[in-house]
Amino acid sequence: MELKIGVIGTGAIGQDHIRRFTNKVKGAKVVAVTDLNAERAEQIAQEVGAKFVRTGEELISLPEVDAVVVTSWDPTHEKYVLEAINHNKYVFCEKPLAVEAEGCKRIVDTEVKLGKRLVQVGFMRRYDRGYMELKEMIDSGKLGEVLMLHCAHRNVSSGENYDTPMAIVNSAVHEIDVLRWLLNEDYVAVQVIMPKRTSHTHEKLHDPQILILETESGIHIDVEIFVNCNYGYDIKCEVVCVDGMVSLSNPSYSSVRTAGKDYTGIPMDWEQRFEAAYEQELQLWVDSVKADDLNGPTAWDGYVASVTTTAGTLARETGKRVEIKMDDCPDLYKSNLVKV
Ligand code: NAD
Ligand code: NAI
Ligand code: ISE
């Protein structure tokens, strides 16, 4: 039986996910869509043979919707996730789970009260082959203990609505989740450095920014977030260990040599760079919902990421090193904890 999905938010990634559910993912079908931009959502609904509804709340309550996908703007995520849990429906929510840690905590508390995990967060980097290979190498112990990580998160450009806080809350949140998964440990402190600004940015965005994270065992991680780098979508992760180093390479399947140069292409956006990871993420989500047994990033992972981004925001505002403190992890999430 096909899983019948309702999608809230038919913007950039909402449309991509609808395309994936329609053409790539097996065993699923988009049956309802909504967006504040009703005209666009209606058109998309028509294209994929889904029903257009006026609001997210209406979509969630439709009896024909088995599971919900939230791809609307960050500040709207919390209310739709809570509404889906209250309807006892599985919900896949794009990151961040909520913009503040308190919002994520409300979601965690609601799930704990229900006694069942219904939420998965869109941290798709855990499904990327490059990060999986880094994890395998670290876990094998062949390179010895991890000492430091040097990372970069570069986007070609960002729009006028993307402001200074979003560098951490909307972009670095990916590193915050995937590096904790990679290292099997949580963070204890964060600092933020504000380097010289690029001329490609606008008044409301300080770009680039550098995040320095410290983990429980003392690993230091620097993450450059540069969302107007003006040349390509470039995700770097170099893991320096006692006996060697392992790093991500950009997926590339050919190279060109001409006029005395040897070059390979680089992706221009997240969609291209992580295409295979998004596909795998959604396929496994559909399979696990049908099996009534979720196994992807949980609401607890969303909460931990959000506590860290909230501390990062304070570190940026104060210029100080901020300690990261979390509540105890509820039993509901312990079988799925990143820690081993
Ligand atoms: P977008 O602006 O292109 O799309 C968002 C859409 O949501 C818009 O069409 C908007 O009209 C709609 N919307 C907003 N509030 C709504 C509401 N209350 N009800 C219905 N529709 C609403 O943004 P995007 O780039 O597609 O990003 C969407 C989300 O996906 C964000 O949370 C973002 O963080 C996340 N995202 C994740 C990744 C990733 O790599 N995992 C990549 C891009 C975006
Ligand atoms: P977008 O701006 O292209 O799309 C968002 C859409 O949501 C818009 O169409 C908007 O009209 C609609 N919307 C907003 N509030 C709504 C509401 N209350 N009801 C109905 N529709 C509403 O944004 P984009 O880039 O698609 O991002 C959407 C979300 O996906 C964000 O949370 C973002 O963080 C996340 N995202 C995740 C990515 C990833 O790599 N996992 C990549 C890009 C985005
Ligand atoms: C966007 O929302 C994403 O999630 C992309 O993966 C990220 O690279 C970009 O910076 C965000 O704005």
Side-chain angles (χ1 to χ4, degrees), residues 295-308:
N295 50 34
T298 64
W300 180 254
D301 295 319
Y303 164 77
V304 173
S306 198
V307 169
T308 311

Side-chain angles (χ1 to χ4, degrees), residues 8-14 34-37 40 71-74 76-77 79-80 94-96 122 124 170 174 270 278:
I8 304 177
T10 51
I13 201 161
T34 184
D35 197 297
L36 288 183
N37 181 339
R40 184 173 52 194
T71 47
S72 46
W73 295 322
D74 298 0
T76 65
H77 292 182
K79 68 172 176 175
Y80 293 132
E94 263 308 335
K95 39 55 61 177
M124 78 299 176
N170 187 274
H174 280 297
W270 33 271
Y278 291 120

Side-chain angles (χ1 to χ4, degrees), residues 1-3 26-28 90 285-293:
M1 256 234 319
E2 278 182 324
L3 183 76
K26 294 196 174 54
Y90 282 108
W285 176 68
V286 165
D287 295 347
S288 67
V289 168
K290 288 165 96 174
D292 200 20
D293 187 17

Side-chain angles (χ1 to χ4, degrees), residues 1-150:
M1 256 234 319
E2 278 182 324
L3 183 76
K4 297 196 254 1
I5 295 169
V7 178
I8 304 177
T10 51
I13 201 161
Q15 291 181 42
D16 286 341
H17 284 349
I18 290 171
R19 179 179 48 76
R20 273 185 271 273
F21 284 125
T22 308
N23 302 326
K24 301 276 186 179
V25 172
K26 294 196 174 54
K29 182 178 166 45
V30 176
V31 296
V33 299
T34 184
D35 197 297
L36 288 183
N37 181 339
E39 204 181 316
R40 184 173 52 194
E42 264 182 298
Q43 192 195 328
I44 291 161
Q46 240 180 26
E47 280 165 18
V48 298
K51 181 174 185 173
F52 162 76
V53 287
R54 290 264 153 215
T55 68
E57 287 79 1
E58 203 185 321
L59 177 140
I60 293 165
S61 70
L62 287 176
E64 65 265 38
V65 168
D66 301 325
V68 178
V69 169
V70 180
T71 47
S72 46
W73 295 322
D74 298 0
T76 65
H77 292 182
E78 181 191 347
K79 68 172 176 175
Y80 293 132
V81 171
L82 286 173
E83 186 77 7
I85 302 173
N86 289 333
H87 280 76
N88 211 6
K89 291 191 180 181
Y90 282 108
V91 52
F92 175 92
C93 178
E94 263 308 335
K95 39 55 61 177
L97 182 56
V99 278
E100 300 283 347
E102 292 75 28
C104 295
K105 190 65 194 354
R106 282 188 283 273
I107 292 171
V108 162
D109 290 346
T110 311
E111 263 195 336
V112 168
K113 205 165 146 211
L114 183 75
K116 182 174 181 186
R117 286 195 281 114
L118 292 175
V119 180
Q120 178 164 326
V121 185
F123 288 131
M124 78 299 176
R125 291 197 189 181
R126 295 185 187 200
Y127 303 88
D128 173 68
R129 176 151 174 203
Y131 279 109
M132 289 197 282
E133 287 186 12
L134 295 191
K135 186 163 177 61
E136 249 175 64
M137 184 53 83
I138 294 170
D139 288 348
S140 76
K142 286 181 189 150
L143 303 180
E145 272 197 296
V146 177
L147 304 174
M148 305 172 271
L149 275 76
H150 307 297

Side-chain angles (χ1 to χ4, degrees), residues 158-163 166 200-205:
S158 58
E160 290 291 313
N161 291 334
Y162 189 108
D163 59 8
M166 287 178 78
H200 292 299
T201 192
H202 54 86
E203 209 183 306
K204 291 199 188 117
L205 173 63

Side-chain angles (χ1 to χ4, degrees), residues 203-266:
E203 209 183 306
K204 291 199 188 117
L205 173 63
H206 191 116
D207 190 36
Q209 301 179 27
I210 299 171
L211 199 67
I212 317 268
L213 293 158
E214 290 168 49
T215 71
E216 289 165 320
S217 76
I219 299 168
H220 273 67
I221 303 169
D222 50 273
V223 185
E224 168 203 310
I225 310 128
F226 187 12
V227 296
N228 288 283
C229 79
N230 210 30
Y231 72 86
Y233 186 80
D234 206 2
I235 303 298
K236 294 181 181 298
C237 180
E238 184 177 292
V239 185
V240 184
C241 306
V242 172
D243 293 314
M245 187 277 279
V246 56
S247 66
L248 276 187
S249 46
N250 258 326
S252 145
Y253 307 102
S254 60
S255 68
V256 177
R257 289 182 182 201
T258 183
K261 289 201 172 78
D262 180 355
Y263 63 87
T264 54
I266 41 174

